[in-house]
Amino acid sequence: MAVIYSRILVAYDGSELAEKALETAKNFAEQDPNVSIDVVTVQEPFKLYGYHIELSYEQIQKQYEQDLKEMMNEVREKLADLPNQTQMVELKGYPAREIIEYAEKNDIDLIVMGSRGLGNIKELFLGSVSHNVVQHSPKPVLIVK
Ligand code: ATP
Ligand code: MG
């Protein structure tokens, strides 16, 4: 059976649910060699949370980029056994906006993402990124939870 969503974007922030989103896309890809996957991660300039407060901005930025590189390498390894076309994409800006724009410009058929991400406020069902993508993306969105 051919999968109707042939170019899939996975919005990836390294969270558990982003991991699940990646696995979901991988499952689709395993069913059809024509499915391709774009794993998109967006650097948020104002959200360098989780870093030591005493580090300078430059040090934090450097560490952040290093962590990002490692994260993307891990993803690359996870996808390495797929015969499908896959690519890693790093963007900068507001995540929801970048994800939506990328999807439009690159003829993405489906966006797969987690309901929540790395943020620590868990009262709401959707995080701000998933909320905004669902709200504003003209492309279909699959939210995993
Ligand atoms: P908030 O960020 O609003 O505090 P949260 O972190 O719990 O809340 P979101 O950021 O909306 O929730 O994360 C939901 C999903 O959106 C993640 O599972 C991931 O798929 C995607 N996502 C979030 N941030 C990014 C990002 N910077 N780059 C790519 N995808 C992202
Ligand atoms: Mg978040």
Side-chain angles (χ1 to χ4, degrees), residues 24 32 50 65 79-80 88 113 125 134 139:
T24 302
D32 187 336
E65 269 160 30
L79 296 177
M88 316 296 291
M113 64 198 304
F125 169 61
V134 168
K139 303 282 185 179

Side-chain angles (χ1 to χ4, degrees), residues 37-86:
I37 299 177
D38 293 53
V39 181
V40 175
T41 191
V42 186
Q43 282 196 48
E44 296 174 78
F46 306 111
K47 274 211 169 174
L48 294 171
Y49 46 51
Y51 289 95
H52 205 281
I53 195 86
E54 278 152 30
L55 296 177
S56 70
Y57 181 78
E58 285 74 23
Q59 285 172 313
I60 293 175
Q61 183 65 27
K62 216 168 141 200
Q63 184 66 51
Y64 182 58
E65 269 160 30
Q66 174 82 30
D67 291 350
L68 201 67
K69 201 181 281 169
E70 276 170 29
M71 184 177 92
M72 292 313 250
N73 280 336
E74 281 167 23
V75 174
R76 206 170 276 122
E77 272 170 33
K78 279 184 192 131
L79 296 177
D81 55 335
L82 277 181
N84 306 60
Q85 197 183 318
T86 60

Side-chain angles (χ1 to χ4, degrees), residues 90-101:
E90 285 173 28
L91 303 172
K92 283 185 187 175
Y94 293 106
R97 186 189 296 166
E98 293 301 320
I99 291 162
I100 293 168
E101 265 184 36

Side-chain angles (χ1 to χ4, degrees), residues 1-4 28 31-33:
M1 185 193 76
V3 174
I4 57 163
F28 286 143
Q31 291 170 49
D32 187 336

